[in-house]
Amino acid sequence: MRRLVLAISALLPLPGLLSSPPDTMLPIYSLFVAAVFARRPIEAAAVRLRLSRPLAFGLVILASGLLTETLAWTSSYLVGDLEPALLHPQLVYDLLLSPVVYGGWALAWPLLMRRWNFTLAEVFAVQGVYGILLEQQGAVLRQGLASLPWGVILWAYVFLVYGSAIGMAYLPFERTYAADPRIRSWIRLPIALGALLLMTVVSSLAWAGFLHVIGITIPSPRPIWEAPLW
């Protein structure tokens, strides 16, 4: 029954995807549901990476981040957003800056897994709450509070997007991590949220410093419809 409900829930993004202009961001949740049903081949593909588990997990998180950012950019481009909620309106620079955020996830989660066990649902939920708190530098949280009870819909949207992004990355590794003898206590959930927030700050500073050292300068933003890619 739960799998049936999960399968039906994959249709949630359909109205937005069929609207004009289409919303290409929320369909990441449908991709997550599809990944859940294709768990075995995805797990097998992760094994074939032949990398240490923390490194493989971190790299898959970064890859999921690139996908998430591309979907967000596509949605903003189709809308012709004057001020898109992106790291940069031009896609190449948006993706180049993505480790500012997703690098924090790639640092935090493998470190957290060294001490605690997390289910897929727990990882999804923690990352979803993180998204509500941090999206647009807290603007989503404030907008939701200002428009309650309808603001819950906005929060749910962001929750699903962020949860799906990390969920797809964690799915191939959940069972192997679950087999480890790790501590399970409620305190690990708020600690995980705090670690994500902290590591996002660390990754932001570290990636900005790295780009500066290697001499890459990010140009000023231009309208997304005027210069889509760079």
Side-chain angles (χ1 to χ4, degrees):
M1 183 63 181
R2 284 186 298 179
R3 290 177 68 84
L4 176 61
V5 172
L6 180 64
I8 294 173
S9 73
L11 300 176
L12 283 173
L14 190 59
L17 192 60
L18 296 178
S19 63
S20 183
D23 172 21
T24 62
M25 187 70 265
L26 192 57
I28 193 172
Y29 175 71
S30 301
L31 294 178
F32 166 72
V33 173
V36 171
F37 283 93
R39 177 190 285 265
R40 290 185 181 276
I42 292 175
E43 289 174 338
V47 171
R48 288 196 294 271
L49 289 176
R50 298 188 182 280
L51 299 171
S52 69
R53 187 173 58 184
L55 178 58
F57 185 23
L59 290 176
V60 173
I61 289 174
L62 291 175
S64 180
L66 291 175
L67 171 63
T68 304
E69 206 60 30
T70 300
L71 293 174
W73 178 89
T74 302
S75 192
S76 294
Y77 175 72
L78 293 175
V79 172
D81 202 338
L82 287 171
E83 297 183 1
L86 301 168
L87 297 168
H88 197 285
Q90 281 63 65
L91 178 60
V92 169
Y93 299 117
D94 188 41
L95 296 181
L96 182 60
L97 290 170
S98 65
V100 163
V101 174
Y102 304 107
W105 305 11
L107 291 171
W109 281 115
L111 287 174
L112 288 163
M113 297 295 174
R114 291 173 65 88
R115 182 170 178 81
W116 292 289
N117 273 334
F118 295 87
T119 65
L120 179 61
E122 289 168 343
V123 169
F124 191 108
V126 170
Q127 200 72 57
V129 173
Y130 164 98
I132 294 171
L133 294 176
L134 245 67
E135 177 66 15
Q136 299 179 40
Q137 298 179 327
V140 165
L141 177 63
R142 295 191 297 271
Q143 290 171 15
L145 289 171
S147 57
L148 286 174
W150 302 112
V152 173
I153 297 175
L154 174 62
W155 290 344
Y157 181 101
V158 172
F159 182 91
L160 289 176
V161 168
Y162 275 77
S164 299
I166 194 62
M168 287 193 298
Y170 184 48
L171 181 72
F173 307 98
E174 181 193 15
R175 288 178 176 169
T176 61
Y177 274 117
D180 294 342
R182 296 285 188 265
I183 300 170
R184 288 187 60 83
S185 63
W186 68 269
I187 195 65
R188 73 196 194 287
L189 300 177
I191 288 177
L193 180 58
L196 283 165
L197 297 171
L198 176 61
M199 287 302 173
T200 300
V201 174
V202 171
S203 64
S204 298
L205 297 174
W207 191 249
F210 173 73
L211 293 179
H212 176 74
V213 167
I214 64 176
I216 294 181
T217 302
I218 304 298
S220 299
R222 298 165 62 190
I224 195 170
W225 62 86
E226 181 180 301
L229 300 181
W230 57 77

